[in-house]
Amino acid sequence: MARNKFDVDEELAQEFNREDFKRLLFYVKPYKKPIYQTLFVILIANIAMMLGPYLSKVVIDDVLPTKNMTLLIWVGVAFLASVIVTGWCMWYRIQSITVIGQDILKDMRSAIFEHLQKLPFSYFDSRPHGKILIRVVNYINTLSDLLSNGLINLISDILSVVITLIFMLAIDWKLTLYSLVLLPVLFVFVMFIKNKQRKAYQDLSNKQSNMNAYIHESIAGIKVTQSFARENVNDEIFSEVSKNYRASWMKAVSIQFLLWPGVQNIAVITTSLIYYVGIRGIGVDITTGTLIAFIGYVNNFWNPVINIGNFYNSLITATAYLERIFETLDVEPDIKDSPTAIEMPPIKGDVLFRNVTFRYEEGKDILKNINFHVEPGESIALVGPTGAGKTTVINLLSRFYDINEGEILIDGIDLRKVTLESLRKQMGVMLQDTFIFSGTIMENIRYGKLDATEEEVVAAAKIVRAHDFISELKDGYHTAVKERGSTLSAGQRQLISFARTLLANPKILILDEATSSIDTKTETLLQKGLEKLLEGRTSFIIAHRLSTIKNSSRIFYIDQGSVMEAGSHEELMVEKGPYYELYQSQFDLLQEL
């Protein structure tokens, strides 16, 4: 549960390894053709760029001593052509790799979002939503430069190094060996800072995640914060979280910035060495033009080496974020279709719980050996004390969780043998926590049935008595509501959620505290509308106001993980058991009020 706190760093379940780079290349693979085209253009650009130092050598060694104007003109034309070709190739390269990189990021973001929608409730219950959000947005965005420019630029720089080495070897192989003498020093230097940089960015990702989690939590709970005048306290907490993030950032970038000056200094020392060897003629005999051309090639060699070092730097930095992204993608959904899952046939509504036992991870049994049978069209009310297992029953029926023992059958078919989509599309579930999405009221009611006509939406709203208040709004059904329906009352949000559930025309209807935020007058009207809806449907209703479930076919009193008694309202009142005592306590309370 430590993950579920903004001030606790998340420990990686599995460290990043080389095999994970193949997973990154998986997102690159669909774009092989445009990548190959871009690399070909880059190859042409590199060859064109290599002509510059060679043409300088020709001018110094051949044109100036002989004053050959014809050769000078041809050299000028060749140089101009190389500049034009290089310029066009660079323009094409920038355009191409930007498009490719953004497409790869889109695919990665879509993959993680799609995966998140398949994860069980327990995943979202076990960590702040801010720590989940940062993976989809910030961490993916951090990879932008790596994927937009890095991978293709890496190949481009490798090509540039190879082509430059070929030209250098063609001019003088001895000088080429002098140029490479400090490469081992560079390798040792890079390896030295690699691990320090990676650990620093792992810590930075933790602190960034913590800060994002606290911001998200603070925004979601802003009403509570202002109600208890907690603004100053929260400011102090955020200041501490932000200070930790800043400290981690400064440490990470201070290590990262060691690489560039280190490589740059090695390049400058190498250039100085070539000047010294060339001028003093130590083991070489070269012309002035050759030396100048070779220095040009040395610069062309070290520039891409520096770029490769920067790419490696970025790769180490990105690794800290890739670890978090792949960690999320590696979370296996607890609830998923079996390989042999079939489509659920049209549901008639026969429900059977047979020896059902359920417990959360490493916890005690929430339900113990539950057995009951519901005929098609029956309405079943679930009552009992808080935490008795009522909501768990409907969560298991909707297969939000899987049972530990026993089986749940609908029309004689085990829920675990059908696809989740085909099962849930035939069930209407209205949970205790109503959620209204940003958009219009029409779009919210249509959420479960996108092809519904406006007339069908209005008809569903009328049944649940939402039509009257919607019609009084400025734009009626096309009124825009804000995130989580903050501009609507709790009762209005619940009625809209009810209409959304009913519009889906479910074969099995599940209502968890469906009328908890509705006033008594509206509830009376709603009950009349629901009588028609419940006809011919199997329904499960959880309600603490027992007056709302008196007309149910049967009432199950659940306590201590078991069905303690079952029957109609009249039957249970005669038995004078737990239900009778619960009903009487509510009745006496109302009398006192």
Side-chain angles (χ1 to χ4, degrees):
M1 294 301 293
R3 288 177 176 271
N4 203 26
K5 296 186 66 179
F6 70 85
D7 57 349
V8 176
D9 293 344
E10 296 180 276
E11 293 184 3
L12 281 169
Q14 182 177 345
E15 291 288 330
F16 194 85
N17 57 68
R18 296 181 185 275
E19 289 298 315
D20 287 330
F21 284 117
K22 295 180 180 179
R23 299 177 65 176
L24 182 59
L25 294 177
F26 170 79
Y27 296 98
V28 178
K29 191 175 180 180
Y31 304 96
K32 287 192 299 183
K33 183 176 179 181
I35 288 176
Y36 288 151
Q37 291 174 345
T38 304
L39 291 177
F40 177 75
V41 171
I42 290 173
L43 177 62
I44 298 300
N46 284 333
I47 295 174
M49 290 174 63
M50 292 302 106
L51 290 176
Y54 179 77
L55 293 175
S56 299
K57 173 184 178 302
V58 172
V59 170
I60 294 173
D61 289 346
D62 300 327
V63 173
L64 293 180
T66 62
K67 298 182 180 180
N68 188 338
M69 298 305 298
T70 301
L71 181 58
L72 180 62
I73 292 173
W74 282 111
V75 169
V77 171
F79 184 78
L80 179 61
S82 70
V83 170
I84 294 174
V85 170
T86 301
W88 181 87
C89 290
M90 291 301 100
W91 172 84
Y92 180 90
R93 164 181 166 174
I94 293 171
Q95 295 287 327
S96 177
I97 61 179
T98 300
V99 172
I100 294 171
Q102 290 304 311
D103 284 342
I104 294 172
L105 289 178
K106 176 180 65 68
D107 292 345
M108 291 188 70
R109 188 176 289 113
S110 297
I112 192 171
F113 181 77
E114 180 182 346
H115 185 70
L116 283 172
Q117 294 188 94
K118 298 176 182 178
L119 297 181
F121 292 167
S122 57
Y123 177 84
F124 301 96
D125 293 340
S126 64
R127 65 205 72 206
H129 292 175
K131 291 191 177 185
I132 300 173
L133 180 64
I134 199 172
R135 285 160 164 75
V136 185
V137 182
N138 298 56
Y139 290 176
I140 295 291
N141 289 343
T142 304
L143 303 178
S144 177
D145 186 62
L146 178 69
L147 295 176
S148 294
N149 299 300
L151 289 175
I152 291 181
N153 284 355
L154 172 66
I155 300 174
S156 170
D157 290 327
I158 292 174
L159 287 175
S160 180
V161 168
V162 172
I163 293 172
T164 302
L165 278 175
I166 293 174
F167 274 80
M168 289 169 66
L169 289 169
I171 292 177
D172 193 293
W173 66 270
K174 293 181 180 179
L175 277 180
T176 303
L177 294 179
Y178 278 114
S179 303
L180 304 178
V181 71
L182 292 180
L183 273 181
V185 177
L186 174 63
F187 178 79
V188 172
F189 177 70
V190 169
M191 290 298 103
F192 174 74
I193 68 171
K194 179 191 71 170
N195 292 331
K196 292 182 177 294
Q197 182 182 348
R198 181 184 174 191
K199 289 179 180 178
Y201 271 93
Q202 284 177 343
D203 182 63
L204 175 61
S205 72
N206 278 329
K207 297 302 185 285
Q208 187 179 17
S209 178
N210 292 346
M211 185 173 69
N212 199 72
Y214 187 71
I215 292 173
H216 184 275
E217 181 181 274
S218 299
I219 293 173
I222 189 64
K223 292 182 180 179
V224 178
T225 296
Q226 294 184 0
S227 297
F228 286 89
R230 274 263 310 195
E231 293 90 341
N232 291 336
V233 176
N234 286 7
D235 285 344
E236 292 177 3
I237 296 174
F238 179 75
S239 177
E240 183 66 22
V241 173
S242 182
K243 183 176 72 173
N244 292 337
Y245 172 71
R246 179 186 181 278
S248 297
W249 170 266
M250 295 303 297
K251 180 179 180 181
V253 296
S254 65
I255 296 174
Q256 178 184 2
F257 290 161
L258 288 175
L259 183 64
W260 182 85
V263 177
Q264 188 70 38
N265 287 335
I266 293 174
V268 171
I269 293 173
T270 301
T271 303
S272 301
L273 177 63
I274 296 301
Y275 272 121
Y276 180 79
V277 170
I279 294 173
R280 296 297 298 268
I282 302 175
V284 295
D285 184 16
I286 55 176
T287 64
T288 302
T290 299
L291 179 60
I292 292 175
F294 201 88
I295 291 299
Y297 285 125
V298 168
N299 290 331
N300 285 341
F301 173 81
W302 278 102
N303 284 334
V305 168
I306 292 173
N307 291 338
I308 292 172
N310 290 334
F311 171 82
Y312 186 76
N313 210 343
S314 300
L315 189 62
I316 296 301
T317 300
T319 296
Y321 300 106
L322 281 170
E323 286 171 330
R324 300 297 183 186
I325 294 170
F326 287 151
E327 180 191 43
T328 301
L329 289 172
D330 287 339
V331 176
E332 282 291 331
D334 294 336
I335 311 301
K336 57 184 178 181
D337 296 336
S338 70
T340 58
I342 62 173
E343 293 289 310
M344 183 72 185
I347 291 177
K348 297 177 182 178
D350 185 279
V351 177
L352 175 63
F353 274 56
R354 180 184 293 157
N355 303 322
V356 171
T357 295
F358 172 77
R359 72 188 69 88
Y360 293 103
E361 293 181 11
E362 300 180 359
K364 66 178 183 177
D365 290 346
I366 304 300
L367 298 179
K368 306 172 185 177
N369 200 32
I370 291 280
N371 288 275
F372 62 78
H373 180 225
V374 178
E375 298 284 349
E378 277 194 285
S379 58
I380 304 299
L382 306 178
V383 301
T386 301
K390 304 183 296 296
T391 299
T392 302
V393 170
I394 63 174
N395 281 340
L396 294 178
L397 183 59
S398 306
R399 211 183 159 209
F400 292 137
Y401 299 95
D402 269 338
I403 60 178
N404 299 100
E405 300 173 23
E407 56 184 352
I408 301 175
L409 308 176
I410 294 181
D411 298 338
I413 302 174
D414 192 320
L415 298 188
R416 292 168 293 190
K417 295 181 179 179
V418 300
T419 62
L420 290 170
E421 183 178 5
S422 65
L423 171 67
R424 292 175 181 168
K425 275 193 172 182
Q426 299 187 67
M427 303 179 71
V429 182
M430 182 174 171
L431 300 175
Q432 188 171 356
D433 295 328
T434 58
F435 193 96
I436 301 299
F437 297 88
S438 57
T440 65
I441 291 178
M442 178 74 69
E443 291 169 342
N444 267 280
I445 297 178
R446 271 198 186 125
Y447 190 82
K449 188 181 180 184
L450 298 178
D451 59 347
T453 64
E454 190 164 335
E455 291 74 19
E456 290 175 322
V457 172
V458 173
K462 285 181 177 178
I463 291 177
V464 301
R465 300 303 191 266
H467 177 73
D468 291 342
F469 92 81
I470 294 175
S471 300
E472 293 174 358
L473 298 174
K474 180 180 179 182
D475 297 317
Y477 284 85
H478 298 285
T479 299
V481 292
K482 296 181 180 179
E483 186 179 7
R484 301 186 69 90
S486 58
T487 54
L488 302 171
S489 69
Q492 289 172 334
R493 293 196 297 270
Q494 208 151 18
L495 289 176
I496 290 174
S497 182
F498 221 147
R500 176 168 61 201
T501 302
L502 304 186
L503 182 63
N505 192 27
K507 304 300 182 183
I508 294 179
L509 184 63
I510 295 174
L511 308 176
D512 185 356
E513 288 296 332
T515 60
S516 62
S517 299
I518 300 174
D519 59 82
T520 305
K521 181 180 178 181
T522 305
E523 183 182 353
T524 302
L525 296 173
L526 180 61
Q527 288 295 329
K528 294 179 180 179
L530 287 178
E531 289 178 4
K532 180 179 179 181
L533 176 72
L534 295 177
E535 291 179 2
R537 303 179 199 274
T538 302
S539 58
F540 291 82
I541 305 169
I542 297 177
H544 284 102
R545 280 190 272 185
L546 301 184
S547 59
T548 64
I549 48 92
K550 289 174 59 176
N551 297 326
S552 300
S553 303
R554 282 186 290 165
I555 299 172
F556 292 172
Y557 185 91
I558 300 177
D559 193 11
Q560 300 177 14
S562 301
V563 178
M564 306 296 288
E565 58 179 354
S568 66
H569 172 73
E570 292 76 14
E571 292 170 344
L572 295 181
M573 291 299 288
V574 171
E575 291 184 11
K576 294 189 177 182
Y579 175 77
Y580 172 83
E581 295 177 1
L582 182 63
Y583 186 84
Q584 283 299 118
S585 64
Q586 283 199 9
F587 181 78
D588 294 341
L589 181 61
L590 290 175
Q591 290 293 100
E592 293 177 6
L593 296 175

